[in-house]
Amino acid sequence: MRFCVVGAGFSGAIIARHLSEKGYRVLLIDERSHLAGNCHTERDAKTGIMLHRYGPHIFHTSNLRAWKYVNRFGDFEPYVNRVKAVSGGRVYTLPINLLTINQFFGKTFSPREAYDFIRTKADQKIFDPDNFEDQALSMIGPELYHAFFYGYTRKQWGMDPRELPASILKRLPLRFNYDDNYFSHTYQGMPKDGYTSIIERILEIPNVEIRIGTRFEDVEEKFIHVFYTGPLDRYFGFKFGRLGYRTLDFERIEGEGDYQGAAVINYCDEQIPYTRISEHKHFAPWEADQFSKTVCFREYSRLCGEEDIPYYPIRLAKETELLECYVAHARNVRGVSFLGRLGTYRYLDMDVTIAEALSACDRIDEIFSAGGTLPAFFIK
Ligand SMILES: Cc1cc2nc3c(=O)[nH]c(=O)nc-3n(C[C@H](O)[C@H](O)[C@H](O)COP(=O)(O)OP(=O)(O)OC[C@H]3O[C@@H](n4cnc5c(N)ncnc54)[C@H](O)[C@@H]3O)c2cc1C
């Protein structure tokens, strides 16, 4: 008998490689026609530009183990994510920094002046914000909130920001200097040959049969154990109901030269139906000049239907309650472990996904050497 790994994204590929290195036989399956899951990149057939098929993916981390791991399987080019935002017919820079504040309010503030000014805008009466809107108002005040977050958030989540938890905004930086690097992690970059090449190289190993275009539901073989990185609710046939997700629609735009002069521009106004436009040749600035044509994608967010690709878990009270039912049920089922963004119903960046998969490998080794049973989840 062999092991089965369901899903050939980062989570599944790392587990499959580890099992192979330990001398086990593995069947790795994915229902898609390609490897790399949601991080999949491919050359556009018409232009040759490297496309991120499921939306822009930028690698950023302070986790040295995850960074070293990906660098074993591909070369990374330096890449800093500098996002622009259109609001009220004008272009600004994100995350909100000194330039955004000075441009928006028509000022020439120093860092200290900007800090004091934003303090006068911030709603001092809100002590313990329990929703997204109150959190924003207590941090940046009404003008910046309405310009950059209100409409964008309504489009992205399809609901009023007062219905969303404050925790979403806690993660967004507010800077009183001119640093417009979207992330503040130590290591940032873009793989020279794309993410799919990294996953292919992770999987250049013996003892692993890779079957793409195959649904787990259609495999009849019996396995020692299944590592499942697909949706948790789907594994159980949605028996308690469906965990809610947002999905994305991408509308392709083709053109000559440079369409927007930046990789990502957010559209913050509610009346513009899309959330952002990404121009993919700017994700590979080292080769962008080679292409006379360009390809961009307008991104639209909506509630995920049964046939759609689940992107962002909603995780409000209703979903959390349902998740608890599935988690409790999964803990009583033998022979399967759930991992990754879909298996644990969380939004995970790639570095977190990789770090969690590597810790799962450590745990697998400990359990195998102690003769124990593999758990339903490797996270708490
Ligand atoms: C729009 C968007 C943008 C993102 N941008 C970034 C970014 O800039 N930086 C960053 O670090 N992270 C980003 N991420 C997060 C990144 O996509 C995830 O960290 C990563 O994809 C998680 O890998 P995974 O292996 O857990 O899941 P996935 O990559 O989703 O892999 C799961 C695989 O399982 C397969 N599968 C599921 N069910 C079955 C089944 N029953 N049978 C067979 N196959 C099945 C699926 O086809 C899929 O290929 C972004 C995510 C989204 C949604």
Side-chain angles (χ1 to χ4, degrees):
M1 279 223 285
R2 53 184 177 168
F3 286 93
C4 182
V5 176
V6 182
F10 268 113
S11 304
I14 290 170
I15 298 290
R17 181 181 180 91
H18 185 73
L19 293 170
S20 154
E21 284 172 343
K22 294 286 155 189
Y24 296 106
R25 289 169 56 239
V26 180
L27 172 65
L28 171 65
I29 60 169
D30 201 299
E31 64 184 350
R32 290 174 174 171
S33 59
H34 57 73
L35 297 176
N38 261 23
C39 307
H40 175 62
T41 45
E42 64 201 355
R43 292 267 172 209
D44 180 42
K46 269 172 120 174
T47 62
I49 294 167
M50 186 66 90
L51 300 183
H52 299 208
R53 190 192 293 182
Y54 302 96
H57 277 70
I58 296 132
F59 202 94
H60 56 98
T61 188
S62 294
N63 183 313
L64 186 57
R65 190 181 188 197
W67 179 241
K68 279 190 172 167
Y69 188 85
V70 286
N71 276 272
R72 274 173 62 197
F73 302 103
D75 295 330
F76 275 72
E77 292 284 342
Y79 185 87
V80 175
N81 192 25
R82 299 190 196 283
V83 176
K84 301 289 171 277
V86 172
S87 174
R90 301 185 64 183
V91 183
Y92 299 93
T93 167
L94 285 181
I96 294 179
N97 63 73
L98 193 49
L99 186 61
T100 329
I101 295 167
N102 278 331
Q103 285 181 334
F104 186 80
F105 292 105
K107 303 287 187 190
T108 53
F109 287 137
S110 68
R112 181 76 230 179
E113 288 166 342
Y115 177 82
D116 291 341
F117 178 75
I118 293 299
R119 290 268 304 163
T120 68
K121 296 282 175 190
D123 191 334
Q124 313 281 343
K125 295 188 296 299
I126 305 171
F127 285 118
D128 192 13
D130 65 354
N131 65 68
F132 182 101
E133 180 163 297
D134 281 356
Q135 176 71 20
L137 294 174
S138 71
M139 281 172 78
I140 54 175
E143 294 96 332
L144 290 173
Y145 165 62
H146 281 283
F148 296 108
F149 295 111
Y150 178 76
Y152 189 88
T153 306
R154 283 175 65 94
K155 289 190 287 187
Q156 175 78 354
W157 291 101
M159 61 184 88
D160 194 272
R162 295 194 70 80
E163 294 173 54
L164 290 165
S167 56
I168 297 184
L169 196 61
K170 269 183 194 145
R171 292 194 291 268
L172 295 182
L174 167 65
R175 302 205 183 113
F176 296 103
N177 57 31
Y178 288 103
D179 180 5
D180 65 351
N181 180 347
Y182 202 80
F183 303 115
S184 44
H185 284 132
T186 317
Y187 311 106
Q188 303 184 34
M190 200 59 93
K192 196 158 182 268
D193 300 318
Y195 293 100
T196 300
S197 154
I198 293 188
I199 301 281
E200 281 166 359
R201 293 184 61 188
I202 292 175
L203 292 172
E204 277 173 9
I205 33 167
N207 298 329
V208 177
E209 181 194 342
I210 300 171
R211 252 188 244 165
I212 53 176
T214 304
R215 286 158 28 104
F216 178 63
E217 293 82 340
D218 300 331
V219 175
E220 285 177 3
E221 193 178 327
K222 293 272 171 271
F223 300 100
I224 306 170
H225 191 85
V226 176
F227 294 92
Y228 190 86
T229 75
L232 179 62
D233 53 355
R234 177 171 161 185
Y235 181 86
F236 294 111
F238 306 104
K239 66 192 293 176
F240 304 120
R242 283 179 180 265
L243 290 165
Y245 280 92
R246 301 291 290 174
T247 192
L248 298 173
D249 296 318
F250 295 98
E251 183 187 8
R252 184 176 164 119
I253 314 166
E254 292 177 11
E256 295 291 327
D258 196 349
Y259 180 82
Q260 61 179 13
V264 179
I265 300 188
N266 285 4
Y267 285 81
C268 303
D269 300 318
E270 201 176 354
Q271 60 274 25
I272 296 176
Y274 42 90
T275 51
R276 58 181 180 173
I277 299 179
S278 47
E279 184 165 8
H280 287 220
K281 71 179 178 185
H282 293 308
F283 291 121
W286 61 91
E287 62 174 32
D289 289 348
Q290 290 171 25
F291 305 107
S292 59
K293 295 192 183 308
T294 193
V295 183
C296 302
F297 292 90
R298 287 196 188 101
E299 206 170 303
Y300 300 81
S301 170
R302 63 178 168 81
L303 195 63
C304 189
E306 291 189 9
E307 302 302 320
D308 298 318
I309 299 173
Y311 279 92
Y312 296 107
I314 295 176
R315 288 188 78 103
L316 292 180
K318 185 172 71 125
E319 288 79 16
T320 313
E321 212 174 287
L322 189 55
L323 175 63
E324 279 165 15
C325 287
Y326 279 112
V327 168
H329 187 64
R331 288 195 199 283
N332 289 322
V333 174
R334 285 284 173 95
V336 56
S337 300
F338 298 92
L339 299 100
R341 66 176 196 102
L342 298 167
T344 59
Y345 189 60
R346 288 173 303 154
Y347 175 83
L348 301 178
D349 273 327
M350 288 179 282
D351 63 325
V352 180
T353 305
I354 292 163
E356 286 194 358
L358 292 172
S359 319
C361 294
D362 297 341
R363 189 82 190 98
I364 290 167
D365 289 350
E366 282 166 22
I367 292 168
F368 282 174
S369 56
T373 309
L374 289 165
F377 299 95
F378 290 95
I379 50 155
K380 295 215 174 64

